[in-house]
Amino acid sequence: MRILVTGGAGYIGSHTCLELLEGGHEVFVLDNLCNSSVEAIKRVKELSGKSFEFFNCDIRDKSGLRAVFTKARPEAVIHFAGLKAVGESCEKPLEYYDNNLGGTVCLCEVMQEFGLKNIVFSSSATVYGRNEPPLSEDMPTGDCSNPYGRTKYMIEELLKDIYASDNSWNIILLRYFNPIGAHKSGRIGENPKGIPNNLMPYLSQVAVGKLAELSIFGDDYETPDGTCIRDYIHVVDLAKGHLCAINRLEQSKGLEVFNLGTGHGYSVLDIVKAFIGTTGVNLPYKITPRRAGDLAAVYSNSQKATELLGWSAQYGIERMCEDTWRWQSNNPTGYED
Ligand code: NAD
Ligand code: UDP
């Protein structure tokens, strides 16, 4: 299939492009590089041994999108492009609504103009809000605690409304849990700009000596060791989930929602111990007060993806730590070197 990947230069997008290419698909990447580097594209080409076209374009630029669609003639879109920092979304809500929601409206309008109605969208476990885990697709959504989460919820609703108005659209909403890890080559991985907000990039930058110490946000939650529990998923498993979603779009029509997680929860301390255990690297850490807005435990029920997409996560937590470390230690300054 000819697949347009918005946000394809980013962390999950670059890993997905590699899986799509290896799965025999034709890939076209569209990204404005606001949170990524063209070096990631270069490395995906190197790793796959295949060439593909990259369009430096913003999803809010309608005439730019039209030119891309005319040239690429995609048969499906995987839509990763968006801003994703929770804290920043509280400080700059307009930017998040404009980029994520406005950008998706613009993208869907151009898809409609071109009669292209196949889309896989990157949603997030954050849409589940305070439901009790394990979280499954039929639970209520929308009780999000920040503007970023609300943009994901609103885009889901927007796509549901588009489908309700025209059921010839084929839409898959993928709700990701916590992607970590990197490709086994150590050539592509997560490359946050500035000081990372998320656990794994922060932890690995401490391990490589760029940051002094990891703060563990709270050890007084109602969890076995008091630290928060999340469903960490290897980014390559997540990327493979997109390949399965594309296969599903080809076979089955409609609008469907799938969780992509492992179904297992690990605490922050579990992750710290697994990282030290698998890499042998020193990792200074301290316990600090809770971070506002964090939930005690978030993990998936990902049975639906297993049953209908034929997908399940293969990699365990040790492998996630090993691969993160290979990427981080080989590329201490990310793609900059
Ligand atoms: P990322 O920032 O690495 O990738 C997003 C890409 O989109 C970047 O390359 C960025 O330059 C591009 N982009 C942003 N705005 C754009 C615009 N207006 N036009 C064109 N390109 C634009 O993030 P990621 O971790 O790879 O996440 C990909 C998607 O998955 C995002 O939509 C994110 O919200 C979602 N998601 C991520 C996580 C996570 O923990 N990483 C969890 C759940 C959902
Ligand atoms: N966390 C932490 N220290 C950090 C970053 C994160 O203790 O420097 C914790 C955070 O409180 C949460 C877990 O790690 O319990 C995962 O956080 P992350 O921001 O990676 O993902 P979230 O699930 O919040 O989207």
Side-chain angles (χ1 to χ4, degrees), residues 266-289:
Y266 288 93
S267 74
V268 179
L269 277 172
D270 289 334
I271 297 293
V272 169
K273 285 178 194 157
F275 192 89
I276 295 171
T278 51
T279 64
V281 174
N282 181 35
L283 194 67
Y285 67 87
K286 65 176 178 210
I287 307 291
T288 62

Side-chain angles (χ1 to χ4, degrees), residues 180-186 188 234 236 278-279 315 317-328:
I180 60 172
H183 188 258
K184 62 177 190 265
S185 62
I188 55 172
H234 197 297
V236 172
T278 51
T279 64
Y315 297 121
I317 203 71
E318 284 78 19
R319 178 66 188 269
M320 298 183 212
C321 292
E322 265 172 41
D323 288 342
T324 299
W325 181 234
R326 189 175 306 105
W327 155 253
Q328 183 68 73

Side-chain angles (χ1 to χ4, degrees), residues 6-13 30-37 57-60 79-84 99-100 103 121-125 148 152 175-179 190 198:
T6 77
Y11 173 44
I12 307 171
L30 181 157
D31 201 302
N32 68 358
L33 302 177
C34 70
N35 196 38
S36 51
S37 160
C57 178
D58 193 297
I59 51 167
R60 293 163 296 180
H79 178 30
F80 293 105
L83 302 175
K84 62 164 185 175
N99 197 79
N100 294 3
F121 171 62
S122 299
S123 189
S124 164
Y148 163 71
K152 291 291 170 191
R175 294 181 182 152
Y176 310 154
F177 282 69
N178 288 54
E190 190 168 11
N198 298 111

